[in-house]
Amino acid sequence: EDALFEQFVLEKINNHNPSRPLFMFWAPHAVHTPLEVPKRYLDKFNFMKNDTKTKGRQTYAAMTNFADATIGNVTDLLKEKGMWNDTIVVFTADNGGPINCGYHDIKCNNGANNYPLRGGK
């Protein structure tokens, strides 16, 4: 899903006249449940051997890497189009990771870690 949104954002920027203002709001879902990421990103984190059988931490790390790559692609295109110096990017996150799956109170490894804060969503 986020790969489709990334392509949409890149297309809009690519087709935009840089002499005109552009407002765009994009809220990626990449580092959020469901824990899904393209395999090529997951493979980068195969070194995480001590992860549980659900590979929650590995998947979460891969999702973060994917989000970083998509923002990097947008940043690179803004620079290429000469729009970067007149751009404000606000990159924010929600209020921390869940400490359980939230499905009928079943505990599972979803990859979240809110340390040093306590609790979750």
Side-chain angles (χ1 to χ4, degrees), residues 89 105 120:
V89 174
D105 294 325

Side-chain angles (χ1 to χ4, degrees), residues 20-77:
R20 297 189 39 96
L22 171 67
F23 175 82
M24 184 177 298
F25 177 84
W26 175 30
H29 303 103
V31 187
H32 209 280
T33 56
L35 300 183
E36 299 173 340
V37 68
K39 186 176 181 327
R40 70 181 184 273
Y41 288 92
L42 189 61
D43 290 346
K44 290 181 182 182
F45 295 89
N46 279 338
F47 64 88
M48 298 175 87
K49 300 292 184 199
N50 293 330
D51 203 357
T52 64
K53 63 183 174 182
T54 63
K55 298 186 182 247
R57 299 295 296 161
Q58 180 183 354
T59 305
Y60 194 81
M63 292 167 66
T64 302
N65 184 252
F66 174 77
D68 183 63
T70 61
I71 298 302
N73 293 338
V74 170
T75 300
D76 289 345
L77 183 57

Side-chain angles (χ1 to χ4, degrees), residues 75-120:
T75 300
D76 289 345
L77 183 57
L78 288 167
K79 289 176 181 178
E80 182 182 313
K81 294 268 304 189
M83 299 169 64
W84 179 248
N85 289 335
D86 294 322
T87 297
I88 297 173
V89 174
V90 177
F91 194 84
T92 185
D94 63 9
N95 59 346
I99 55 175
N100 62 41
C101 288
Y103 305 114
H104 310 290
D105 294 325
I106 298 170
K107 298 283 184 187
C108 69
N109 183 357
N110 59 17
N113 182 343
N114 296 319
Y115 182 82
L117 303 175
R118 295 177 295 173

